[in-house]
Amino acid sequence: MNSFSAILQDLVERVPGATGAIFADWEGEAVGEFAREMATLDIRIFGAQWGVVWAELQRSLGRAKLPAANELIIGGEIGMVLVREVTEHYYVVLAIAPDAHLAKAMTELQAGADALRAEM
């Protein structure tokens, strides 16, 4: 386990209802990941797919002459996904259960992004 994965494990463990987290680069390539009940390949695919959404969101905002997003939250019936910028070229994704405390998840995701940035 690398230091980035250790930070992600700590993040997931601090958020009740979190199922996994991944730290990836601008191409969707995993730098580190941690998931409770998900195979490594599955969490990597999950992170890459959300990276596509994140990149398209940033491009769309740019075309509209709007400032870049620093966080994206998507809620659904079976869970929520939070994406947060770590640097201009890196992002972190956190998956949580639908009944998880969103404010706690957002606070811990920010702390995790800060820790990842400091480790770079």
Side-chain angles (χ1 to χ4, degrees), residues 96-117:
I96 62 175
D99 59 347
H101 194 282
L102 181 58
K104 170 79 171 164
M106 291 172 65
T107 299
E108 294 299 342
L109 182 59
Q110 177 63 59
D114 292 344
L116 291 165
R117 189 177 315 104

Side-chain angles (χ1 to χ4, degrees), residues 2-85:
N2 66 35
S3 59
F4 298 118
S5 294
I7 290 168
L8 296 169
Q9 180 177 356
D10 187 48
L11 167 61
V12 169
E13 290 175 350
R14 286 192 321 265
V15 178
T19 56
I22 183 163
F23 175 45
D25 69 12
W26 67 98
E27 295 179 323
E29 188 67 35
V31 179
E33 70 279 322
F34 176 80
R36 291 180 193 252
E37 297 176 13
M38 188 183 290
T40 300
L41 179 60
D42 291 338
I43 190 75
R44 287 182 176 181
I45 290 169
F46 177 80
Q49 290 171 332
W50 281 104
V52 171
V53 173
W54 182 251
E56 186 54 37
L57 170 65
Q58 302 297 13
R59 280 191 293 276
S60 295
L61 290 169
R63 285 190 298 270
K65 308 274 192 263
L66 296 169
N70 59 17
E71 188 170 55
L72 171 68
I73 302 168
I74 303 291
E77 191 173 304
I78 62 169
M80 290 184 273
V81 176
L82 292 77
V83 184
R84 175 159 269 294
E85 178 182 70

